[in-house]
């Protein structure tokens, strides 16, 4: 699974797409590995932009759980932003919303993780960064 | 085939408290405000229209499920505390006329065997009881729970003819007019799930079973075990997040995994079972509604009916 990512201040925003289930959970784990490795990423927080995710299964949720554990062990934070309505319901019904911070927008998710990163995001948006 | 639930609670029997009952009465009376309940029929109709968690309760007995394949013998899954009222019902129906019981044990943890010392038919000569299971320690565990100082009446006082039968996964057994197979499950000390087939219908009883989300081969094995079953009685004790975090390796599963496995296996009905003792009726009703919604939004094939077991519930297949 290819995940595009951008860095705003001390927050990395990564955007998986499509379905996350048993067929591609391993590739998601591999794609997230450099992002949850603090030494490699250098960022203090990871925000997953879920606007392009159509579905996530229990296996996919487990991948997020493992990533969150790794990040918290490094005193780093994780958040989920802009989930589609169905995916948001899956987070709520599985109670994953109790352990992962969900924000309706990417901007809001960054703000919750780091106000300074939100400023960097605003600057990049004004500059028309992709 | 008919399934009747005598005990549906996991780990430990529970009972409604005075505060719980009061809360239900208050909720019912609030709902009645402004209504004219002039006669008994009106009252009955009003009560029947109340939500289940207000007018009823999921109950508190530990695991005991009766299956009626159509013959005269009785078939049970597990000997939790629910077997006590089952035994009373048998006595009320037949008096002292000897009966034959086939009892399938998922595992020998206490909540699944604790009812035997209170199963009155086991004390009556002439009754025949076959106790089936995959564990070598099955007989020892049942004898030990009635040994002093744990219980005042020794296993030897059970005057029914009791026979223990060891079953092996992968083998088909013809018992009480059914084809019976079993599958080893992930649980401390192992547990066994059972698949019962008769008259073109099939039921899977799978409790105290944790499903590893990291082992797709294991999941595939359960999908095959559940394949096209009319009913899967499934351990949905925890939320998914609890089952794979703070309660990982506790040996239980979740509503989410139950739906996913049953959807893949094209099961007709998933019945959530082995309820968390700390869950109120309101909580269990919310879990049921949430699970139905989850099934709806993730459905890709035929609809999967979702139910939640309660003591006294009957399902006809």
């Amino acid at each position: 699974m290819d995940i595009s990512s951008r860095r705003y201040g001390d927050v990395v925003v990564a955007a998986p797409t499509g379905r996350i289930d048993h067929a591609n959970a391993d590739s998601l784990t591999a794609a997230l590995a450099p992002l949850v490795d603090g030494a490699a990423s250098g960022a203090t927080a990871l925000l997953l932009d879920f606007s392009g995710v159509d579905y996530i299964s229990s296996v996919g949720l487990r991948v997020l759980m493992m990533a969150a554990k790794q990040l918290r062990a490094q005193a780093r934070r994780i958040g989920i932003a802009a989930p589609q309505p169905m995916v948001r319901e899956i987070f709520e019904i599985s109670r994953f919303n109790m352990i992962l911070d969900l924000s309706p927008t990417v901007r809001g998710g960054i703000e919750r993780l780091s106000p300074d990163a939100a400023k960097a995001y605003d600057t990049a948006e004004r500059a028309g960064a992709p | 085939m008919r399934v009747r639930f005598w005990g549906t609670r996991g780990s430990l029997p529970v009972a409604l408290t005075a505060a719980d009952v009061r809360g239900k009465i208050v909720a019912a009376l609030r709902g009645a405000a402004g209504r004219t309940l002039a006669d008994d029929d009106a009252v009955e109709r009003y009560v029947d229209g109340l939500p289940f968690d207000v007018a009823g309760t999921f109950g508190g007995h530990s695991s005991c499920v009766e299956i009626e394949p159509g013959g005269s013998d009785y078939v049970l899954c597990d000997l939790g505390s629910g077997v006590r009222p089952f035994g009373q019902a048998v006595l009320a129906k037949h008096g002292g006329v000897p009966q034959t019981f086939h009892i399938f044990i998922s595992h020998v943890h206490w909540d699944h065997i604790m009812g035997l010392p209170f199963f009155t038919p086991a004390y009556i000569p002439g009754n025949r009881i076959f106790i089936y299971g995959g564990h070598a320690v099955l007989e020892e565990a049942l004898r030990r729970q009635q040994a002093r100082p744990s219980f005042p009446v020794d296993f030897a006082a059970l005057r029914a003819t009791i026979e223990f039968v060891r079953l092996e996964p992968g083998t088909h057994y013809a018992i009480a007019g059914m084809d019976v197979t079993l599958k080893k499950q992930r649980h401390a000390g192992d547990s066994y799930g059972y698949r019962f087939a008769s008259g073109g219908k099939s039921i899977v009883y799978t409790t105290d079973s944790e499903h590893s989300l990291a082992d797709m081969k294991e999941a595939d094995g359960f999908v095959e075990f559940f394949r096209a079953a009319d009913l899967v009685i499934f351990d949905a004790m925890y939320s998914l997040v609890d089952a794979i975090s703070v309660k990982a390796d506790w040996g239980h599963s979740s509503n989410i995994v139950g739906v996913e496995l049953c959807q893949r296996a094209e099961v007709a009905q998933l019945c959530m079972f082995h309820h968390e003792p700390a869950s109120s009726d309101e909580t269990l009703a919310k879990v049921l509604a949430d699970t139905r919604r989850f099934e709806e939004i993730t459905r890709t094939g035929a609809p999967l009916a979702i139910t939640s077991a309660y003591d006294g519930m009957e399902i006809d297949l």
Side-chain angles (χ1 to χ4, degrees):
Chain A
M1 175 180 283
D2 293 326
I3 298 182
S4 63
S5 65
R6 289 187 60 82
R7 182 164 176 166
Y8 302 98
D10 55 350
V11 174
V12 168
V13 178
T17 57
R19 292 174 62 87
I20 301 175
D21 57 19
H22 62 283
N24 59 14
D26 286 345
S27 66
L28 174 63
T29 300
L32 287 178
L35 303 177
V36 299
D37 181 341
S41 80
T44 60
L46 173 63
L47 183 70
L48 296 176
D49 174 359
F50 256 52
S51 58
V53 174
D54 306 317
Y55 169 78
I56 185 165
S57 72
S58 60
V59 176
L61 289 167
R62 178 181 174 275
V63 172
L64 300 186
M65 167 82 77
M66 301 306 290
K69 273 187 180 178
Q70 283 182 263
L71 288 164
R72 285 169 187 150
Q74 304 165 46
R76 298 165 65 211
R77 299 175 64 195
I78 184 172
I80 306 290
Q84 296 178 20
M86 185 183 96
V87 173
R88 183 177 185 91
E89 279 197 83
I90 293 173
F91 277 108
E92 291 169 351
I93 293 171
S94 64
R95 308 289 184 255
F96 263 71
N97 61 324
M98 306 294 283
I99 64 160
L100 292 173
D101 193 56
L102 300 184
S103 300
T105 64
V106 172
R107 170 67 172 76
I110 296 173
E111 173 80 32
R112 290 170 74 97
L113 292 170
S114 166
D116 286 343
K119 290 173 187 168
Y121 176 84
D122 292 339
T123 301
E125 287 292 294
R126 280 196 297 272
Chain B
M1 295 171 86
R2 171 176 289 170
V3 177
R4 185 177 293 111
F5 294 88
W6 294 93
T8 59
R9 192 66 63 158
S11 302
L12 187 74
V14 297
L16 289 177
T17 65
D20 295 331
V21 174
R22 183 181 184 280
K24 290 174 185 288
I25 293 171
V26 168
L29 291 176
R30 280 197 185 121
R35 293 170 181 264
T36 302
L37 303 175
D39 53 37
D40 286 351
D41 283 347
V43 172
E44 296 273 352
R45 280 197 303 275
Y46 169 66
V47 171
D48 289 344
L50 288 169
F52 179 76
D53 59 309
V54 173
T57 180
F58 285 87
H61 276 303
S62 68
S63 301
C64 184
V65 178
E66 180 185 4
I67 295 172
E68 291 184 2
S72 58
D73 290 0
Y74 284 98
V75 176
L76 287 180
C77 293
D78 279 333
L79 286 166
S81 68
V83 79
R84 191 196 64 80
F86 165 76
Q88 300 307 307
V90 170
L91 289 175
K93 184 175 180 181
H94 300 290
V97 178
Q99 303 296 317
T100 298
F101 303 87
H102 302 272
I103 303 172
F104 297 87
I105 302 294
S106 64
H107 64 311
V108 294
H109 285 169
W110 195 21
D111 54 317
H112 293 258
I113 63 172
M114 67 195 316
L116 180 60
F118 302 92
F119 180 45
T120 307
Y123 291 88
I124 299 174
N127 283 332
R128 297 199 312 158
I129 302 174
F130 297 92
I131 301 178
Y132 306 90
H135 295 82
V137 297
L138 178 56
E139 180 171 357
E140 177 193 343
L142 292 182
R143 288 183 178 277
R144 193 171 54 201
Q145 76 165 341
Q146 288 191 241
R148 291 178 183 171
S150 297
F151 199 72
V153 183
D154 193 81
F155 187 92
L158 303 178
R159 302 297 303 282
T161 300
I162 300 176
E163 183 176 335
F164 290 89
V165 182
R166 179 92 181 268
L167 303 181
E168 295 287 344
T171 301
H172 286 260
Y173 298 93
I175 300 171
M178 302 183 295
D179 175 76
V180 181
T181 52
L182 65 161
K183 180 174 177 56
K184 188 152 81 171
Q185 304 176 137
R186 185 185 293 265
H187 194 74
D190 297 334
S191 69
Y192 291 87
Y194 293 90
R195 182 176 177 120
F196 306 96
S198 176
K201 300 291 184 182
S202 54
I203 298 166
V204 175
Y205 177 76
T206 172
T207 191
D208 295 67
S209 177
E210 184 165 357
H211 295 272
S212 168
L213 300 179
D215 188 343
M216 286 302 99
K217 190 176 174 186
E218 180 185 291
D220 291 345
F222 278 95
V223 169
E224 286 313 304
F225 191 56
F226 295 178
R227 176 69 63 195
D230 295 281
L231 173 66
V232 171
I233 300 166
F234 188 88
D235 171 359
M237 191 167 180
Y238 302 139
S239 66
L240 177 65
V241 75
D242 280 352
I244 66 173
S245 58
V246 293
K247 294 174 181 173
D249 301 324
W250 286 23
H252 298 285
S253 190
S254 67
N255 56 341
I256 299 291
V257 170
V259 170
E260 289 180 344
L261 290 173
C262 287
Q263 284 176 330
R264 286 184 59 198
E266 298 181 310
V267 166
Q269 181 176 171
L270 164 67
C271 182
M272 295 187 289
F273 182 74
H274 205 268
H275 304 307
E276 159 64 49
S279 292
S280 66
D281 288 321
E282 184 180 13
T283 297
L284 293 175
K286 173 78 163 57
V287 170
L288 175 58
D290 283 351
T291 309
R292 286 175 168 159
R293 176 62 181 159
F294 178 73
E295 186 280 331
E296 182 182 12
I297 62 177
T298 60
R299 185 186 305 157
T300 56
L304 168 68
I306 309 287
T307 51
S308 186
Y310 60 87
D311 297 6
M313 180 183 186
E314 293 182 355
I315 297 175
D316 288 313
L317 300 175

